[in-house]
Amino acid sequence: MDRMVNKFELAKAELVATPSLVVDLPTVEKNLNRLHGYAAEHGLNVRPHTKTHKSRYFAELQVDHGSYGLTVAKVGEAEVMAHVSNDILIAYPAIDPERRRRAAELARECTVRVAVDSQYGVTALAAAAEKAGSTIGILVDLNVDSNRTGVATPADALQLAQQVSQAGKSLRLDGIFFYPGQIWAPADQQGESLQAVDALLAETIALWESHGLTAGIVSGGSTPTAYQSHLVRSQTEIRPGTYVFNDMNTVRAGFCELDECAAAIICTVVSTAVPGKCVIDAGNKTLTSDRNVLHPDSGHGHVIEYPQARIVRLSEEHGEVDFAGCDALPRVGDRVTVIPNHICPCVNLQDRFYLQTPETIQTLDVDARGMLS
Amino acid sequence: MDRMVNKFELAKAELVATPSLVVDLPTVEKNLNRLHGYAAEHGLNVRPHTKTHKSRYFAELQVDHGSYGLTVAKVGEAEVMAHVSNDILIAYPAIDPERRRRAAELARECTVRVAVDSQYGVTALAAAAEKAGSTIGILVDLNVDSNRTGVATPADALQLAQQVSQAGKSLRLDGIFFYPGQIWAPADQQGESLQAVDALLAETIALWESHGLTAGIVSGGSTPTAYQSHLVRSQTEIRPGTYVFNDMNTVRAGFCELDECAAAIICTVVSTAVPGKCVIDAGNKTLTSDRNVLHPDSGHGHVIEYPQARIVRLSEEHGEVDFAGCDALPRVGDRVTVIPNHICPCVNLQDRFYLQTPETIQTLDVDARGMLS
């Protein structure tokens, strides 16, 4: 890993407390311009997944850059993001009673769409919407390759779509939902996989049409596949999340450069007493235990000042760093800058961001943090 | 893994939202009685580590059961726990300026002790205490086997102790700190390791005494070694954390029975669309990605209702469960009860506990959640 110019030097010097999550706003701006520019070029709507930043502020930036709506996982997040956009997709089965009830109530105030992959889900959401006097838009979740959720075949998707279309005014059939979550191949090698996804979608859409049903929205995508989305020609909108900040998962997979990482944790070296290692004040309560998706043995993040260092072990508040191969060692009290493997759950562990420009640093609450319901 | 009586059935039936963290208070009471009874029998003080529960309520229970003081990792936690006990140990190097300043200010109001393993740490804390007009108690951190923090030898420990004793009234030399964090052998096979720890401590204490210095407190221990603490005869106090709730780490290592787990996550099955698996609404934003310490391939927690099930993969909000080997499969909308691998970081992801007795359920804020500084 090469050394990068450390744009976080101002935050390192100015912050009073560590570990702290710093976001470089000029880099966010570049990341938004790149993705939204690509989408505009290819006529794709963008509905960013707000799970990454859990913040109204960044959602507003995404809307300002032309987002068509917003994506959330949980209804608590939906309630926050409804202050920013009047078109919210809950990209998650809303099954438990509380989640359904709140989704249905929110649908009185704005457009709420939910991804569904079971008859139970359709029936339950219809009942909740009927009780709330609202209409929920339904996207039928089709399993294209992630094998996590989603019905298996176009015929199964048709069956659910028919159930939705017969549910009366509490539900509205909006289209198809998919998540190509297993595709982590280099962008220029995703073609075959994405063409298979497109073929499955096209077959499903044709089957629906032959039964008089329309998939007005075909919603898919992720950050790893974001810039190949044009290969899935049936797709009308994409839902990348991580692209706003990037992380070592997207760097090591080749989806961005290290300098396109907008978020980092500023840490303090708190111990060098054990020979051959040092300890930083970021453990798994800061960095999470998430390993790098493609390079699980690369350590728990990237230390910008010491590109050869490896964060070898995390306990809750301790990060143990191996500096073998580095030119010099940090001393107790020094600060270092860590790009996490997976930025989304890291943000969720923080109460606040430190937002930096080249001149200023200010704090911002992570206002949709938690929100497990 | 055997089936246990599911004491969480009331919570499963009554809770409106999932995923939710439920704590069974009668089990907590048993866990506290067992540990504090053992410690009393052996004349050991207990200074529980509050990182596990991050809650004033549970800290008060621990004090009611005879705790001598409380342990925290971060100064934010110390500020919360100072409402419960007037003797707080920050079991962590307080190096960055904000942490030092707040520790020194808190020391004006109660006894604050800090574990230190560097000259930098001693000098920095002395300066902070001098500025605050307070006195901080210092425990010299000795590396007994965890190779995480701690000075290497009795001579190094003496050197730091001498620095502390010469620092004037801002610091007070309180004793020795150690953490046997690598000892996960079965309790009845820990003897040799703990005797080696004891020998190193005894050598250090003798060296200090030969230089006119006293280790009034010798603070060590963890939940895995808790019930063998009497083998470390130099030890005056123990700092277990996990014992209050237990988790699959302590169960699978043989330190407790499954029925001694007091905390569980109630989840809803949200998808069974992909053949051979089902998805629960607890991913790594609920369960963390922490693997089981001794059995890393055992999955991301234990499903009480389906003891043969394995939680094979987590994304942020999805837990994918393999039910091969189970007699029956759950259906969408069913609830299941999961004992996490590592309860401490799970609690830190929750805004509230649901506290249950056989008759009632009430909520409680996790009031020291976060607190990274």
Side-chain angles (χ1 to χ4, degrees):
Chain A
M1 194 62 59
D2 289 337
R3 196 178 290 268
M4 70 185 268
V5 174
N6 188 356
K7 59 193 162 201
F8 299 99
E9 285 297 340
L10 176 68
K12 265 175 73 177
E14 293 287 328
L15 282 182
V16 289
T18 62
S20 287
L21 171 65
V22 178
V23 174
D24 185 60
L25 292 180
T27 307
V28 168
E29 181 71 21
K30 278 185 208 161
N31 292 345
L32 294 177
N33 285 336
R34 180 180 170 212
L35 189 282
H36 292 261
Y38 162 84
E41 185 186 336
H42 292 281
L44 286 160
N45 292 324
V46 183
R47 187 191 290 277
H49 204 314
T50 59
K51 66 172 184 147
T52 302
H53 52 66
K54 293 226 173 199
S55 155
R56 283 172 61 167
Y57 173 84
F58 288 106
E60 280 162 9
L61 282 185
Q62 289 170 319
V63 168
D64 291 345
H65 281 74
S67 294
Y68 173 79
L70 295 171
T71 303
V72 301
K74 300 296 184 91
V75 72
E77 297 168 359
E79 289 161 347
V80 174
M81 296 308 161
H83 294 282
V84 180
S85 169
N86 59 10
D87 188 337
I88 306 289
L89 168 60
I90 302 177
Y92 196 82
I95 297 296
D96 86 275
E98 172 76 353
R99 195 172 297 156
R100 278 186 261 139
R101 179 185 67 75
R102 286 162 57 184
E105 289 182 1
L106 189 63
R108 289 200 299 244
E109 293 157 38
C110 67
T111 298
V112 173
R113 312 179 199 266
V114 181
V116 174
D117 73 357
S118 65
Q119 291 184 23
Y120 182 104
V122 173
T123 304
L125 282 168
E130 189 163 7
K131 187 164 182 189
S134 63
T135 300
I136 295 175
I138 300 292
L139 299 181
V140 175
D141 182 359
L142 178 67
N143 178 17
V144 295
D145 87 326
S146 69
N147 295 323
R148 187 174 72 178
T149 63
V151 298
T153 67
D156 294 335
L158 173 65
Q159 194 179 10
L160 274 196
Q162 287 174 322
Q163 188 191 355
V164 172
S165 71
Q166 291 155 11
K169 70 178 172 40
S170 58
L171 300 184
R172 180 187 65 242
L173 183 65
D174 281 352
I176 297 169
F177 174 96
F178 68 99
Y179 174 59
Q182 294 299 88
I183 300 175
W184 277 78
D188 60 1
Q189 295 168 34
Q190 292 175 354
E192 199 172 329
S193 300
L194 290 176
Q195 279 155 17
V197 168
D198 195 44
L200 188 65
L201 290 169
E203 185 186 345
T204 306
I205 293 164
L207 185 64
W208 284 24
E209 284 177 352
S210 73
H211 288 77
L213 300 174
T214 304
I217 295 174
V218 179
S219 174
S222 65
T223 291
T225 59
Y227 291 99
Q228 302 300 314
S229 299
H230 57 282
L231 298 179
V232 185
R233 289 164 304 172
S234 318
Q235 188 168 228
T236 65
E237 68 174 34
I238 58 175
R239 304 185 311 272
T242 307
Y243 80 101
V244 60
F245 294 153
N246 286 311
D247 56 23
M248 290 313 294
N249 277 338
T250 56
V251 170
R252 289 194 196 274
F255 302 130
C256 72
E257 299 297 320
L258 192 56
D259 193 50
E260 293 174 279
C261 290
I265 309 282
I266 309 291
C267 309
T268 297
V269 174
V270 295
S271 173
T272 59
V274 176
K277 72 168 69 163
C278 80
V279 178
I280 57 176
D281 59 354
N284 61 38
K285 280 180 174 168
T286 300
L287 294 171
T288 80
S289 298
D290 282 23
R291 289 176 176 273
N292 193 275
V293 171
L294 291 187
H295 300 275
D297 295 325
S298 61
H300 295 280
H302 175 70
V303 185
I304 293 178
E305 295 84 351
Y306 298 89
Q308 311 307 326
R310 203 162 68 90
I311 304 174
V312 290
R313 191 169 67 156
L314 300 180
S315 23
E316 288 166 53
E317 305 285 8
H318 300 75
E320 298 176 43
V321 189
D322 178 357
F323 282 85
C326 298
D327 301 336
L329 294 179
R331 290 172 304 178
V332 172
D334 285 357
R335 291 182 168 191
V336 296
T337 312
V338 176
I339 310 284
N341 279 333
H342 188 187
I343 191 63
C344 313
C346 291
V347 168
N348 188 49
L349 287 166
Q350 299 283 336
D351 289 317
R352 66 193 65 81
F353 301 98
Y354 289 84
L355 304 184
Q356 70 165 28
T357 68
E359 296 83 28
T360 62
I361 299 175
Q362 51 187 316
T363 62
L364 176 76
D365 285 352
V366 184
D367 43 18
R369 195 205 56 71
M371 307 281 171
L372 290 170
S373 292
Chain B
M1 193 63 58
D2 291 338
R3 196 177 290 268
M4 69 184 270
V5 175
N6 188 357
K7 58 193 163 203
F8 299 100
E9 285 296 341
L10 176 69
K12 265 175 72 176
E14 292 288 327
L15 282 180
V16 289
T18 62
S20 287
L21 171 65
V22 177
V23 174
D24 184 60
L25 292 180
T27 306
V28 168
E29 181 71 20
K30 278 185 209 162
N31 293 345
L32 293 177
N33 285 336
R34 181 180 171 214
L35 190 281
H36 291 261
Y38 163 82
E41 185 187 335
H42 293 281
L44 286 160
N45 291 324
V46 184
R47 187 191 290 279
H49 204 313
T50 58
K51 65 172 183 149
T52 302
H53 53 66
K54 293 226 174 200
S55 154
R56 283 172 61 165
Y57 173 83
F58 288 107
E60 280 162 9
L61 282 185
Q62 290 171 319
V63 167
D64 291 345
H65 281 73
S67 295
Y68 173 79
L70 296 171
T71 303
V72 301
K74 299 296 183 91
V75 72
E77 298 168 0
E79 289 161 349
V80 174
M81 296 307 161
H83 293 282
V84 180
S85 169
N86 60 9
D87 187 337
I88 306 290
L89 168 61
I90 302 176
Y92 196 82
I95 297 295
D96 86 272
E98 173 76 353
R99 196 173 296 156
R100 278 186 262 139
R101 179 184 67 74
R102 285 161 58 184
E105 288 182 1
L106 189 62
R108 289 201 298 243
E109 292 158 37
C110 67
T111 298
V112 172
R113 311 178 199 267
V114 181
V116 174
D117 74 356
S118 66
Q119 291 185 23
Y120 182 103
V122 173
T123 304
L125 282 169
E130 188 163 10
K131 188 165 182 188
S134 63
T135 299
I136 295 175
I138 300 294
L139 299 180
V140 175
D141 182 359
L142 178 67
N143 178 19
V144 295
D145 87 326
S146 69
N147 295 323
R148 189 173 72 178
T149 63
V151 297
T153 65
D156 293 336
L158 173 65
Q159 194 180 10
L160 274 195
Q162 288 174 322
Q163 189 191 354
V164 172
S165 70
Q166 291 156 11
K169 70 180 173 36
S170 58
L171 301 185
R172 180 187 64 243
L173 182 65
D174 281 351
I176 298 170
F177 173 97
F178 68 99
Y179 173 59
Q182 294 300 90
I183 300 175
W184 278 78
D188 60 1
Q189 295 168 32
Q190 292 176 356
E192 200 172 330
S193 301
L194 290 177
Q195 279 154 15
V197 168
D198 195 43
L200 188 64
L201 291 169
E203 184 186 344
T204 306
I205 293 165
L207 184 64
W208 284 25
E209 285 177 352
S210 73
H211 288 78
L213 300 174
T214 304
I217 295 174
V218 179
S219 175
S222 64
T223 291
T225 58
Y227 291 99
Q228 302 300 313
S229 298
H230 57 283
L231 298 179
V232 185
R233 290 164 305 172
S234 319
Q235 189 168 227
T236 65
E237 68 173 36
I238 59 176
R239 305 186 312 272
T242 307
Y243 80 102
V244 61
F245 294 153
N246 286 311
D247 56 23
M248 290 314 293
N249 277 337
T250 57
V251 170
R252 289 194 196 275
F255 301 130
C256 71
E257 301 296 321
L258 193 56
D259 192 50
E260 293 174 280
C261 289
I265 310 283
I266 309 292
C267 310
T268 297
V269 174
V270 296
S271 174
T272 58
V274 176
K277 72 168 68 167
C278 81
V279 177
I280 58 176
D281 60 354
N284 62 38
K285 279 179 174 168
T286 300
L287 294 171
T288 81
S289 298
D290 282 23
R291 289 175 175 274
N292 193 273
V293 171
L294 292 187
H295 299 276
D297 295 327
S298 61
H300 295 280
H302 174 70
V303 185
I304 294 177
E305 295 83 353
Y306 298 89
Q308 311 307 327
R310 203 161 69 88
I311 304 174
V312 290
R313 192 168 68 155
L314 300 179
S315 24
E316 287 167 53
E317 306 284 8
H318 300 74
E320 298 176 43
V321 189
D322 178 357
F323 282 85
C326 299
D327 301 337
L329 293 179
R331 290 172 304 180
V332 171
D334 285 356
R335 290 181 169 192
V336 295
T337 312
V338 176
I339 310 282
N341 279 333
H342 188 187
I343 191 64
C344 313
C346 292
V347 168
N348 188 50
L349 287 166
Q350 299 283 337
D351 288 318
R352 66 193 65 83
F353 301 99
Y354 289 84
L355 304 184
Q356 71 166 28
T357 68
E359 297 82 28
T360 62
I361 298 175
Q362 52 187 316
T363 61
L364 176 75
D365 285 352
V366 184
D367 44 17
R369 195 204 56 71
M371 307 283 172
L372 289 171
S373 292

